[in-house]
């Protein structure tokens, strides 16, 4: 397995198995994600990619195995605590507040960091005003980073799909995650939008130092930007390593070309 | 006599706390007073000096309107060096010729995009010692010796200033009105770019004449959105700003230009024809798609009979406000010929729009239209009367030539070209065909674009094109007829307005490509062509036959393919070559033309229409 000694693992998955009433979604999967890398989890449809992401994020609780994030080991984790620990994510189907503006949607990503209570916010007293300004500054930096200035005040529902995806990325980024999980960030996009999204993902990784775990079923898109690729098929891990290593792996080629099991 | 740096010093003594510059960032307008501008410029100039910039050296400035690039221009001029503004979107190929030609010692650029275009050229530019970047995003990790951030450069300037406190002052004192102030690369509608060298007095003398005639004051609010590489931007934004000390406002990004302009509400505005055409088209298509007939009614009435009180309150004032035009005292259009309908529209709306004429070789301005404030429209193709000190002469081939305090020094490093453009007495050929009578100048077309039919009759394609472009649905047209007995037209539709028009009629389409081939759209354009043909002799001269055949192209003309200049002027020859098969098919009378991609796949079937 590709585990250079000088790299520190931020996420260690050990012997994870997940089943739904007897249907095995994930079987005995172990892999590491190293700090500061872009790691792609790829595989054909139904390979267990999204289940894997949901396990990392605490949406599903695996029957077996342990997860270690940032040095802390646990078997059970709730999505909220995952967020508090610094795991951010986006969803395969866009999950934004469609009636709210781009700015407010991204602002909602700062929610966890707001300390003022309900009354302080409602009356704009105490910590609320100062906090609002600080968070607005942070959000504006993200808006500039993602080039969303011209639609800052536009309701999300009226935006094109590719832009909505970008807003969702912005909201996840607003929480300043240590690790960002992206569930098919390029699904349904035009080629141009895919290229834009690849650039943003790389820039987030470089500029903010955020570790990125992304899921894609389109191999071509991710090979260029990933440092590390994990390949799943039928709930099992069939490849794990640097992109070119994985590309030449016979199991991976079979899975993508479709060899009967 | 003033220079740009001496004017900067005047602003500090006369209006130190007056706002000189605003820039929108993170959603907020941040202001710099003249005092602050001057301090930024001084540290930067000292930084440049510390890195060895000397009087006469060239500094290329590449990027959009951001405060730091204005500081870079001012700092360069303070040292007696020469700024060379280049277009922000230029690729390596385009930059190579200009950077090699001007032998730039420094480059100041805005962000990674420009850095990526300049860095591959470094091997060919031994003179270039410093590449200064403003936005650090993405560039910080580049391992290139010449790269230095704007902040580091200023830091170096502080250290240098403490050791050499008088250096800058001495350098400023050495700058004379005759010192080179800018090298401006001409847009080149017909050739490779050439760098026009202009002195401080070239810009400032003509700027003073303009500012006095047009009564500009320090209270003006100006929106800085034109690319800095345009001579018009250097004149209408930079020169007049330095003369009057008003406030310039830089947009947050290219995409936010229109909404930022609304927030600024400029009092003084210059734009090329396509800028005004875009607003005109948007207003018309919005009015057409509105359920209320009131807007249409009042707009029609306004164009024919003038404004009414009710129309002003209910329609015109809100429209002006929507586009940030409410506070405009005078607006100016230049750089190309504006269609009479667009011009008439803005005047009727109550905006004091005037035509102007200028070029890089004339420091950006030669003439301004004299028009009474309530005149609804002016005479077609008129570009005004010459500014104080400028003389106009029409040569035998009808070419306009001028002479005046704004006459450029010559093209940088190109004596032969300079000699061709400017004669021994100082007359400069503009390359435009025109008429000059009663102290009023008319511009008709580029010299090399006058056409003649096989019958021997001359015609000017641009006049026919402009008449068609008056339609809000038509963005660009090229008319071809040289040595033929009739003319054909390649028409590019305006995707925004035609798109809105199609939406209203529930015509489904995925993009411009598909839209352009829709039967309904072709019919919409056909109406315009038929309309023009009924009055073609008025437009194209007594011997001009009607447009016989035309097609609606499934794409726009491309800057990257050289079909248009960076300032969106069409390059006839390139368009003719790139579309030669379509043009031949039109003349041959074919009913359709198959557009294929590089792999030979059918992309679109263009309909070649007969009028």
């Amino acid at each position: 397995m590709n585990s250079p000694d000088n790299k520190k693992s931020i996420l260690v998955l050990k012997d994870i198995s997940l089943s739904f009433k007897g249907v095995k979604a994930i079987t005995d999967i172990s892999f590491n994600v190293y700090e500061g890398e872009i790691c792609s989890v790829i595989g054909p449809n139904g390979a267990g990619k999204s289940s894997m992401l949901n396990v990392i994020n605490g949406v599903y609780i695996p029957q077996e195995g342990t997860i270690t994030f940032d040095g802390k080991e646990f078997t059970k984790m709730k999505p909220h605590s995952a967020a508090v620990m610094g795991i951010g994510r986006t969803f395969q189907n866009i999950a934004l507040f469609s009636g709210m503006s781009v700015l407010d949607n991204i602002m909602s990503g700062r929610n966890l960091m707001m300390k003022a209570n309900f009354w302080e916010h409602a009356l704009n007293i105490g910590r609320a005003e100062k906090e609002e300004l600080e968070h607005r500054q942070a959000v504006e930096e993200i808006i500039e980073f993602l080039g969303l200035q011209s639609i800052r005040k536009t309701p999300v529902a009226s935006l094109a799909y590719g832009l909505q995806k970008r807003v969702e990325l912005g909201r996840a980024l607003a929480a300043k995650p240590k690790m960002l999980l992206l569930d098919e960030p390029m699904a349904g996009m035009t080629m141009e939008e895919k290229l834009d999204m690849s650039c943003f993902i790389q820039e987030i990784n470089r500029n903010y130092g955020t570790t990125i775990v992304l899921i894609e079923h389109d191999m071509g898109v991710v090979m260029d930007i990933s440092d590390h690729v994990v390949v799943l098929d039928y709930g099992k891990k069939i490849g794990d390593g640097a992109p070119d290593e994985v590309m030449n792996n016979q199991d991976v080629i079979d899975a993508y070309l479709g060899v009967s099991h | 006599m003033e220079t740009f740096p001496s004017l900067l010093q005047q602003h500090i003594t006369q209006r130190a706390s007056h706002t000189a510059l605003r820039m929108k960032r993170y959603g907020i307008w941040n202001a710099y007073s003249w005092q602050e501008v001057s301090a930024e410029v001084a540290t930067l100039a000292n930084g440049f000096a510390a890195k060895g910039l000397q009087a006469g050296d060239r500094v290329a400035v590449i990027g959009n309107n951001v405060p730091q690039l204005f500081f870079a221009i001012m700092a360069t001029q303070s040292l007696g060096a020469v700024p060379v503004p280049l277009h922000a979107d230029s690729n390596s190929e385009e930059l190579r010729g200009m950077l090699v030609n001007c032998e730039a010692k420094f480059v100041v650029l805005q962000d990674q995009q420009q850095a990526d275009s300049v860095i591959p050229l470094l091997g060919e530019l031994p003179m270039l010692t410093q590449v200064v970047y403003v936005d650090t995003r993405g560039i910080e990790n580049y391992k290139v010796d010449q790269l230095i951030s704007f902040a580091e450069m200023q830091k170096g300037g502080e250290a240098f200033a403490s050791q050499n406190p008088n250096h800058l002052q001495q350098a400023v004192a050495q700058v004379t009105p005759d010192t080179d102030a800018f090298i401006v690369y001409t847009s080149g509608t017909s050739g490779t770019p050439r760098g026009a060298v202009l002195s401080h007095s070239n810009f400032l003398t003509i700027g003073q004449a303009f500012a006095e005639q047009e009564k500009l004051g320090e209270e003006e609010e100006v929106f800085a959105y034109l690319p800095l590489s345009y001579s018009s931007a250097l004149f209408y934004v930079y020169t007049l700003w330095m003369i009057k000390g008003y406030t310039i406002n830089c947009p947050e990004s290219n995409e936010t230009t229109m909404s930022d302009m609304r927030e600024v509400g400029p009092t003084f505005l210059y734009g090329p024809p396509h800028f005004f055409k875009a607003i005109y088209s948007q207003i018309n298509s919005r009015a057409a798609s509105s359920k209320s007939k009131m807007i249409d009614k009042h707009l029609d009435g306004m164009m024919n009979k003038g404004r009414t009180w009710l129309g002003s309150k209910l329609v015109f004032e809100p429209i002006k406000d929507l586009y940030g035009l409410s506070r405009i005292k005078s607006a100016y259009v230049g750089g190309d010929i504006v269609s009479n309908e667009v011009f008439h529209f803005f005047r009727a709306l109550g905006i004091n729009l005037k035509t102007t004429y200028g070029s890089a070789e004339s420091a950006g301005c030669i003439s301004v239209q004299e028009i009474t404030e309530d005149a609804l429209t002016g005479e077609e193709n008129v570009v005004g009367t010459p500014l104080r000190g400028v003389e106009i002469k029409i040569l035998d081939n009808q070419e306009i030539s001028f002479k005046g305090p704004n006459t450029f020094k010559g093209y940088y490093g190109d004596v032969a070209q300079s000699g061709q453009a400017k004669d021994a007495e100082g007359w400069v050929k503009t390359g435009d065909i025109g008429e000059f009578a009663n102290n009023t100048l008319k511009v008709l077309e580029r010299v090399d674009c006058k056409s003649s039919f096989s019958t021997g009759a001359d015609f000017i394609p641009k006049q026919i094109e402009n008449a068609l472009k008056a339609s809000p649905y038509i963005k660009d047209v090229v008319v071809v007829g040289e040595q033929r007995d009739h003319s054909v037209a390649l028409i590019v539709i305006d995707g925004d307005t035609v798109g809105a028009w199609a939406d209203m009629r529930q015509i489904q389409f995925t993009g411009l490509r598909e839209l352009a081939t829709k039967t309904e759209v072709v019919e919409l354009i056909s109406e315009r062509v038929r309309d023009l043909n009924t009055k073609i002799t008025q437009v194209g001269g007594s011997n001009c036959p009607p447009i016989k055949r035309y097609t609606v192209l499934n794409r726009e003309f491309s800057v990257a393919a050289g079909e248009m200049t960076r300032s969106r002027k069409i390059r006839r020859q390139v368009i003719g070559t790139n579309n030669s098969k379509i043009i031949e098919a039109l003349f041959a009378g074919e009913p359709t033309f198959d557009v294929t991609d590089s792999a030979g796949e059918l992309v679109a079937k263009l309909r070649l229409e007969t009028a």
Side-chain angles (χ1 to χ4, degrees):
Chain A
M1 202 179 85
N2 174 40
S3 62
D5 298 332
N6 54 353
K7 280 202 213 162
K8 192 181 149 213
S9 297
I10 188 167
L11 177 76
V12 180
L13 297 166
K14 199 149 183 272
D15 304 327
I16 302 281
S17 289
L18 173 75
S19 56
F20 301 103
K21 293 184 180 167
V23 180
K24 280 216 153 191
I26 299 174
T27 317
D28 270 346
I29 289 183
S30 305
F31 67 88
N32 294 9
V33 176
Y34 304 100
E35 207 161 18
E37 73 173 1
I38 299 181
C39 169
S40 294
V41 179
I42 63 170
N45 283 327
K49 305 185 299 280
S50 286
S51 302
M52 196 69 237
L53 207 66
N54 282 329
V55 166
I56 299 173
N57 185 216
V59 176
Y60 296 152
I61 295 165
Q63 281 83 6
E64 283 169 48
T66 56
I67 306 166
T68 311
F69 178 72
D70 214 11
K72 288 190 206 82
E73 186 188 301
F74 42 83
T75 43
K76 286 182 186 174
M77 173 165 56
K78 295 205 172 96
H80 179 78
S81 50
V84 172
M85 287 172 68
I87 303 180
R89 81 168 286 182
T90 65
F91 298 85
Q92 196 170 345
N93 304 317
I94 294 169
L96 291 166
F97 302 105
S98 60
M100 281 171 26
S101 68
V102 168
L103 178 71
D104 288 340
N105 264 289
I106 299 179
M107 201 74 168
S108 70
R110 303 287 296 178
N111 191 289
L112 275 176
M113 289 177 226
M114 296 199 181
K115 300 207 171 54
N117 63 33
F118 174 78
W119 291 109
E120 286 171 315
H121 274 300
L123 303 169
N124 202 19
I125 52 170
R127 295 170 283 188
E129 193 181 351
K130 186 165 164 267
E131 216 179 64
E132 172 94 14
L133 287 176
E134 279 170 18
H135 289 304
R136 175 69 188 261
Q137 175 73 23
V139 167
E140 283 291 346
E141 282 168 24
I142 290 169
I143 286 179
E144 185 181 278
F145 185 82
L146 296 174
L148 298 168
Q149 298 101 323
S150 62
I151 49 166
R152 184 184 277 126
K153 295 193 174 145
T154 312
V156 164
S158 64
L159 298 176
Y161 181 77
L163 276 178
Q164 293 199 14
K165 280 273 192 192
R166 215 192 289 177
V167 175
E168 208 191 14
L169 185 64
R171 184 181 59 185
L173 207 53
K176 290 214 161 173
K178 287 183 197 142
M179 186 170 80
L180 192 54
L181 310 177
L182 307 174
D183 196 350
E184 300 218 4
M186 293 165 219
M189 285 191 169
T190 63
M191 201 57 220
E192 201 176 325
E193 288 172 337
K194 280 182 186 176
L195 285 175
D196 277 351
M197 188 51 102
S198 308
C199 285
F200 284 127
I201 292 171
Q202 283 179 296
E203 281 191 30
I204 289 169
N205 177 252
R206 261 201 308 259
N207 283 22
Y208 295 86
T210 313
T211 307
I212 290 174
V213 179
L214 69 97
I215 283 186
E216 250 322 314
H217 69 263
D218 181 355
M219 268 174 85
V221 186
V222 295
M223 286 303 174
D224 290 341
I225 64 168
S226 306
D227 302 305
H228 170 200
V229 177
V230 175
V231 193
L232 306 185
D233 191 22
Y234 288 97
K236 290 183 183 141
K237 185 174 90 174
I238 57 170
D240 186 345
D244 43 350
E245 236 173 85
V246 168
M247 290 268 262
N248 297 322
N249 179 329
Q250 192 56 43
D251 290 339
V252 177
I253 297 169
D254 290 349
Y256 269 86
L257 294 178
V259 166
S260 57
H261 287 261
Chain B
M1 183 62 210
E2 306 297 346
T3 63
F4 284 109
S6 75
L7 285 170
L8 178 59
Q9 290 189 327
Q10 275 181 23
H11 295 317
I12 310 166
T13 52
Q14 289 170 8
R15 48 183 74 82
S17 58
H18 185 272
T19 303
L21 180 67
R22 281 191 208 98
M23 162 84 191
K24 194 174 180 186
R25 187 149 189 227
Y26 298 148
I28 294 167
W29 289 97
N30 300 295
Y32 292 84
S33 67
W34 278 109
Q35 182 78 57
E36 286 162 331
V37 166
S38 142
E40 294 276 353
V41 171
T43 16
L44 185 64
N46 278 308
F48 284 173
K51 292 285 183 188
L53 191 73
Q54 290 175 346
D57 290 340
R58 272 81 49 211
V59 177
V61 178
I62 318 175
N64 294 307
N65 289 276
V66 291
Q68 289 82 355
L69 294 191
F70 283 107
F71 302 156
I73 289 175
M74 293 156 124
T76 305
Q77 290 177 333
S78 300
L79 294 173
V82 194
V84 187
L86 302 178
H87 204 283
D89 296 333
S90 302
N91 55 31
S92 295
E93 206 42 57
E94 291 169 297
L95 288 176
R96 174 184 285 124
M98 297 185 267
L99 289 175
V100 168
N101 177 257
C102 77
E103 301 166 293
K105 189 166 184 180
F106 287 14
V107 169
V108 184
L109 45 81
Q110 189 188 352
D111 59 26
Q112 194 181 13
Q113 184 196 344
Q114 292 102 33
D116 288 346
S117 303
V118 171
I119 289 169
L121 302 173
L122 289 175
E124 301 166 53
L125 304 167
M127 294 275 291
L128 185 53
T129 60
Q130 304 288 324
V131 177
V132 189
Y133 55 95
V134 175
D135 187 349
T136 57
R137 178 178 172 184
I139 307 183
E140 286 159 306
N141 305 327
Y142 283 15
K143 302 275 179 282
V144 176
D145 291 343
Q146 289 93 330
L147 277 177
I148 177 170
S149 75
F150 193 89
E152 277 175 79
M153 190 53 105
Q154 281 193 319
K155 219 173 184 182
E158 280 165 22
F160 182 83
S162 62
Q163 283 157 12
N164 308 278
N166 298 323
H167 179 88
L168 181 59
Q169 220 174 352
Q170 284 160 2
V172 169
Q174 299 289 316
V175 181
T176 70
D178 195 45
T179 305
D180 298 350
F182 280 108
I183 294 176
V184 185
Y185 279 88
T186 61
S187 58
T189 40
S190 45
T192 45
R194 294 168 305 202
V197 184
L198 295 131
S199 68
H200 288 253
S201 90
N202 281 158
F203 275 100
L204 295 173
T205 316
I206 204 74
Q208 286 286 4
F210 181 95
E212 273 171 42
Q213 182 181 318
E214 300 299 306
K215 299 189 180 59
L216 296 183
E218 69 162 6
E219 70 286 355
E220 310 299 344
E221 290 286 346
V222 173
F223 189 52
Y225 71 101
L226 290 168
L228 290 170
S229 56
Y230 290 10
S231 56
S232 52
L234 298 180
F235 181 77
Y236 290 95
V237 176
Y238 183 72
T239 303
L240 296 173
W241 176 46
M242 290 304 283
I243 289 172
K244 299 313 292 188
Y246 54 57
T247 308
I248 62 170
N249 299 272
C250 304
E252 189 169 20
S253 71
N254 287 339
E255 292 76 35
T256 56
T257 302
M258 288 314 262
S259 61
D260 290 344
M261 184 166 113
R262 186 183 181 195
E263 290 176 6
V264 170
T267 59
F268 166 71
L269 178 72
Y270 171 88
H274 64 82
F275 171 79
F276 289 100
K277 170 78 193 293
I279 298 179
Y280 162 81
S281 295
Q282 269 188 32
I283 294 174
N284 273 291
S285 90
R286 283 170 85 149
S289 57
S290 142
K291 288 201 181 72
S292 157
K293 290 286 154 249
M294 182 181 75
I295 300 172
D296 273 342
K297 197 183 108 192
H298 282 292
L299 283 181
D300 275 350
M302 165 192 99
M303 294 291 280
N304 298 322
K305 287 178 278 184
R307 292 186 300 280
T308 56
W309 182 85
L310 193 66
S312 292
K313 290 289 165 227
L314 292 179
V315 180
F316 313 138
E317 292 305 325
I319 285 178
K320 283 184 351 189
D321 178 52
L322 195 60
Y323 290 91
L325 303 171
S326 298
R327 294 206 291 170
I328 284 185
K329 289 191 280 190
S330 304
Y332 302 82
V333 56
D336 207 341
I337 297 168
V338 64
S339 95
N340 220 30
E341 239 161 277
V342 174
F343 183 70
H344 180 174
F345 178 84
F346 281 97
R347 297 225 38 118
L349 204 56
I351 289 163
N352 191 16
L353 183 63
K354 303 179 183 185
T355 54
T356 65
Y357 180 61
S359 60
E361 291 82 354
S362 64
C365 200
I366 289 175
S367 67
V368 181
Q369 191 172 28
E370 280 180 3
I371 187 166
T372 51
E373 201 159 337
D374 50 1
L376 266 187
T377 189
E379 208 185 327
E380 212 152 343
N381 298 328
V382 163
V383 292
T385 48
L387 283 166
R388 190 176 63 208
V390 182
E391 294 170 71
I392 302 280
K393 188 167 78 179
I394 302 291
L395 305 176
D396 291 341
N397 63 346
Q398 284 187 287
E399 183 171 355
I400 302 166
S401 67
F402 76 95
K403 183 170 123 171
N406 53 346
T407 306
F408 77 130
K409 290 180 159 185
Y411 295 115
Y412 187 82
D414 198 339
V415 183
Q417 285 282 2
S418 308
Q420 245 177 38
K422 182 171 144 179
D423 70 14
E425 288 171 48
W427 288 98
V428 182
K429 291 183 194 167
T430 59
D432 290 319
I433 294 177
E435 293 163 8
F436 186 60
N438 304 325
N439 210 25
T440 303
L441 182 64
K442 273 189 186 184
V443 175
L444 303 173
E445 173 60 297
R446 299 287 302 168
V447 167
D448 42 11
C449 295
K450 198 159 89 172
S451 274
S452 44
F453 290 114
S454 53
T455 56
D458 282 347
F459 77 107
I460 294 174
K462 182 160 238 155
Q463 289 183 318
I464 303 172
E465 288 158 9
N466 276 335
L468 269 177
K469 271 162 68 177
S471 161
Y473 301 117
I474 297 178
K475 192 169 191 178
D476 283 301
V477 190
V478 168
V479 170
V480 185
E482 177 72 19
Q483 293 311 315
R484 316 260 186 174
D485 60 351
H486 64 271
S487 55
V488 300
L490 304 176
I491 298 173
V492 175
I493 55 170
D494 184 318
D496 293 336
T497 55
V498 177
W501 179 88
D503 276 342
M504 278 245 305
R505 281 154 190 79
Q506 289 167 347
I507 299 167
Q508 298 202 336
F509 62 96
T510 49
L512 182 80
R513 254 186 197 190
E514 194 185 342
L515 193 59
T517 51
K518 289 274 172 193
T519 320
E520 296 90 336
V521 172
V522 175
E523 188 45 41
L524 173 76
I525 301 302
S526 297
E527 251 172 68
R528 285 306 310 196
V529 177
R530 284 195 291 269
D531 198 33
L532 172 76
N533 276 343
T534 60
K535 53 179 186 190
I536 191 106
T537 47
Q538 286 171 37
V539 175
S542 52
N543 291 321
C544 189
I547 293 177
K548 212 173 225 166
R549 306 213 66 215
Y550 57 93
T551 188
V552 179
L553 293 179
N554 66 330
R555 62 181 188 95
E556 295 191 358
F557 294 132
S558 135
V559 175
E563 294 178 326
M564 289 189 131
T565 66
R566 286 268 169 217
S567 49
R568 297 197 60 83
K569 290 182 199 172
I570 55 167
R571 283 200 177 110
R572 250 165 238 291
Q573 280 189 333
V574 183
I575 292 174
T577 318
N578 290 3
N579 298 282
S580 59
K581 285 185 183 157
I582 301 180
I583 293 170
E584 285 316 317
L586 279 165
F587 279 116
E590 316 245 343
T592 56
F593 180 85
D594 292 345
V595 182
T596 51
D597 62 14
S598 49
E601 297 269 329
L602 182 69
V603 177
K605 216 175 198 26
L606 297 186
R607 299 173 33 158
L608 309 185
E609 296 287 312
T610 306

